[in-house]
Amino acid sequence: RQQEEVAAAKLKEAARHEAAHNYLSGVMTLAMVPESLRRGILPGATESVKFVSDRLQGKINTVKQTEEAIRKRVKEKSYFQLLPEARKLLDLCPERSDVRRLVESLEKREEKQKLIAKNAIRQATALANKGSYSEAVNLLKRLGSEQAAGDVKRLIADYEDTAARLLAAKTRVREL
């Protein structure tokens, strides 16, 4: 009975560590619970010690893997779609100022990329409205993969299709 009370107190302590994003301390605290009390639900608890310990270990592993992936991509200067990973890490470690700065930097970068794409679309649309479909396509194709989202790809396809139909029409007129 006394062991169960001590184990329940350790489970509550681990919950405080988890709330503070100190997952390793939570795992270490739960490691002090006797093996015989880890699988069952303790008085006043809703989860077993093993379940909480596994969840905390999972968070530790996710932090480690996400950090490694981010570090590798930053080193390679591969920033495309890195923001969701950085946000995931920040959710797990909100106290980390380095991760917060990375998220802010990536958010600014993403906004800049969106602005570049928006300006290119505006210019390409103006060219297409003048009948310069090939120039519009060339302008849009110069966008990097980060800026060339679905809208840009659809515009390229539309403009290429229109340019091809226009060329076919001109060819038919010449043949008359």
Side-chain angles (χ1 to χ4, degrees):
R1 181 84 183 140
Q2 186 179 8
Q3 271 190 327
E4 283 184 353
E5 289 174 7
V6 170
K10 293 290 181 196
L11 193 57
K12 287 179 183 175
E13 183 181 341
R16 288 191 298 274
H17 287 302
E18 183 176 17
H21 309 284
N22 191 346
Y23 311 120
L24 183 58
S25 292
V27 169
M28 292 170 62
T29 297
L30 294 177
M32 293 184 241
V33 174
E35 190 68 42
S36 61
L37 298 176
R38 290 185 187 179
R39 293 204 182 271
I41 304 292
L42 297 168
T46 57
E47 300 171 317
S48 71
V49 169
K50 179 173 180 1
F51 182 82
V52 174
S53 183
D54 289 349
R55 181 177 63 230
L56 292 172
Q57 191 60 55
K59 289 181 179 185
I60 290 168
N61 293 341
T62 300
V63 166
K64 183 179 177 186
Q65 291 168 352
T66 306
E67 279 179 327
E68 288 172 6
I70 289 172
R71 203 172 288 118
K72 180 180 183 228
R73 293 202 38 211
V74 167
K75 184 178 180 182
E76 295 170 349
K77 296 183 188 307
S78 174
Y79 304 114
F80 185 58
Q81 292 296 314
L82 185 57
L83 183 56
E85 288 297 306
R87 284 183 176 146
K88 177 177 159 184
L89 184 57
L90 186 61
D91 286 344
L92 289 166
C93 309
E95 72 288 347
R96 295 218 6 219
S97 60
D98 61 327
V99 178
R100 188 174 296 107
R101 283 190 309 271
L102 176 63
V103 167
E104 290 168 0
S105 174
L106 290 170
E107 286 172 341
K108 287 176 187 173
R109 188 174 194 288
E110 188 174 277
E111 285 304 312
K112 184 179 176 184
Q113 298 300 322
K114 285 179 183 177
L115 185 60
I116 289 169
K118 183 178 177 180
N119 287 334
I121 289 170
R122 187 177 37 76
Q123 291 172 353
T125 301
L127 287 167
N129 288 340
K130 293 178 185 174
S132 300
Y133 295 101
S134 295
E135 287 181 54
V137 167
N138 289 335
L139 174 68
L140 293 174
K141 283 185 173 181
R142 285 196 306 258
L143 289 174
S145 60
E146 290 185 57
Q147 299 102 359
D151 291 344
V152 172
K153 291 176 183 172
R154 278 190 296 284
L155 273 179
I156 289 171
D158 289 348
Y159 292 163
E160 285 177 331
D161 182 56
T162 303
R165 284 188 284 122
L166 190 59
L167 181 62
K170 285 179 182 179
T171 303
R172 281 194 302 273
V173 168
R174 281 188 206 126
E175 291 173 354
L176 293 178

